């Protein structure tokens, strides 16, 4: 039989949850020589497996570059999005690098690095269409949109009639097929699309000024680790590493 004190300790741990594991410090990460990064591996072009089965993507390359700046190797631990951030609480990862948007709600529980990528609402039309040059020109036009998305709401607010779709690929297809006049969508998704299909007959005519930013997310109260990650990101931008990665996946600088 276990001692009563042990049973009480186990009961107390269960009552408060086992997610209070102590996050590794920068010194511990560098001593171990490994930077553990949580990622999906199913979200191209950010984190996915190539035809050979190798993990690759924009965020994957960013993580590898950060680890190199920290002087350690990176270990990727893949998981589903809905449980990814919780892996930080359980000390499964030292960080999650997976296009995690920086929000006030998340900042209450976790710390974020400085933003390393920006996404804007982009207005996309056919290449031969000169009637839509701004969001205001959507009035009376049709827009192919995921109906529950923020992008769909932007199109609707600007007077467009919405045609429901199940995502970016279908929205672009309807525009190309003349079944919709335009789509409001993620600027990063558009850049990735044009990188793979440069001759597709669509063009970006406008973006909204306000961007959504993503950052490296880590446990609270790790100031040295956070500072080291931010320094790594600054050095990557200064020495050209960031731009090289950005151009590889998007054809341009997507930091702002």
């Amino acid at each position: 039989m276990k001692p009563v004190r042990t049973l009480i300790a186990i009961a107390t741990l269960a009552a408060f949850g086992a997610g209070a594991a102590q996050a590794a410090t920068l010194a511990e990460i560098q001593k171990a020589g490994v930077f553990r990064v949580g990622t999906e591996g199913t979200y191209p072009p950010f984190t996915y497996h190539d035809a050979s089965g190798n993990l690759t993507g924009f965020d994957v390359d960013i993580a590898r570059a950060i680890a190199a700046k920290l002087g350690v190797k990176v270990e990727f631990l893949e998981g589903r999005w809905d449980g990814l951030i919780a892996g930080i609480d359980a000390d499964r990862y030292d960080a999650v690098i997976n296009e995690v948007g920086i929000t006030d709600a998340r900042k209450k529980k976790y710390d974020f690095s400085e933003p390393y990528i920006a996404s804007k609402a982009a207005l996309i039309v056919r290449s031969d269409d000169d009637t839509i040059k701004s969001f205001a020109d959507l009035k009376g036009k049709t827009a192919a949109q995921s109906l529950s998305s923020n992008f769909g709401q932007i199109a609707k607010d600007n007077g467009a009639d919405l045609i429901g779709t199940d995502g970016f690929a279908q929205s672009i297809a309807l525009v190309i097929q003349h079944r919709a006049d335009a789509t409001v969508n993620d600027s990063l998704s558009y850049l990735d699309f044009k990188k793979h299909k440069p001759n597709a007959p669509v063009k970006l005519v406008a973006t909204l000024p306000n961007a959504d930013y993503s950052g490296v997310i880590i446990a609270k109260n790790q100031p040295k680790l956070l500072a080291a990650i931010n320094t790594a990101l600054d050095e990557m931008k200064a020495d050209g590493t960031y731009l090289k990665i950005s151009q590889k996946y998007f054809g341009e600088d997507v930091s702002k």
Side-chain angles (χ1 to χ4, degrees):
M1 178 179 293
K2 293 182 181 292
V4 173
R5 182 177 298 175
T6 303
L7 290 173
I8 292 174
I10 292 172
T12 301
L13 182 62
F16 287 92
Q22 183 66 41
T25 65
L26 175 62
E28 289 169 340
I29 291 169
Q30 291 178 324
K31 183 178 180 180
V34 176
F35 183 44
R36 302 169 302 162
V37 173
T39 193
E40 279 180 283
T42 57
Y43 184 30
F46 306 104
T47 165
Y48 64 102
H49 291 265
D50 63 19
S52 299
N54 299 312
L55 184 66
T56 189
F58 176 82
D59 284 35
V60 171
D61 285 4
I62 290 291
R64 287 186 174 125
I66 290 173
K69 295 290 186 183
L70 297 181
V72 298
K73 295 181 180 180
V74 64
E75 177 186 1
F76 292 103
L77 298 164
E78 296 179 50
R80 295 171 59 87
W81 168 254
D82 54 8
L84 206 57
I85 297 176
I88 294 175
D89 301 328
D91 191 32
R92 187 174 181 220
Y93 327 118
D94 302 311
V96 170
I97 304 180
N98 197 99
E99 289 302 293
V100 181
I102 301 172
T103 67
D104 290 338
R106 288 173 179 154
K107 285 166 68 175
K108 290 179 181 179
K109 189 173 182 181
Y110 306 96
D111 278 334
F112 278 93
S113 71
E114 294 300 316
Y116 66 85
I117 190 168
S119 171
K120 298 179 179 180
L123 177 56
I124 303 159
V125 302
R126 287 184 302 279
S127 298
D128 61 357
D129 187 343
D130 294 323
T131 66
I132 302 175
K133 299 179 180 180
S134 69
F135 286 88
D137 292 333
L138 284 174
K139 186 174 183 180
K141 302 288 187 176
T142 55
Q145 307 291 158
S146 297
L147 298 180
S148 61
S149 71
N150 291 339
F151 298 127
Q153 189 61 50
I154 291 169
K156 185 177 180 180
D157 289 345
N158 281 276
D161 295 320
L162 304 190
I163 299 173
T165 71
D166 59 10
F168 178 85
Q170 187 181 12
S171 295
I172 286 288
L174 292 184
V175 173
I176 292 173
Q177 296 163 6
H178 290 252
R179 295 167 62 191
D181 297 311
T183 181
V184 178
N185 238 293
D186 186 344
S187 60
L188 297 176
S189 295
Y190 173 78
L191 291 174
D192 175 57
F193 174 77
K194 289 294 279 187
K195 185 78 165 52
H196 290 91
K197 297 183 178 180
N199 296 322
V202 290
K203 61 185 178 181
L204 190 158
V205 293
T207 58
L208 290 182
N210 295 330
D212 292 320
Y213 295 97
S214 295
V216 179
I217 183 171
I218 67 171
K220 282 281 190 185
N221 303 316
Q222 294 290 342
K224 291 184 178 179
L225 176 59
L226 185 63
I229 292 171
N230 282 332
T231 296
L233 289 170
D234 288 342
E235 290 177 353
M236 287 162 56
K237 291 176 181 178
D239 65 19
T241 300
Y242 180 90
L243 183 59
K244 183 178 179 180
I245 295 171
S246 183
Q247 289 179 329
K248 175 182 176 181
Y249 291 98
F250 300 106
E252 63 180 67
D253 186 343
V254 292
S255 64
K256 56 187 177 181

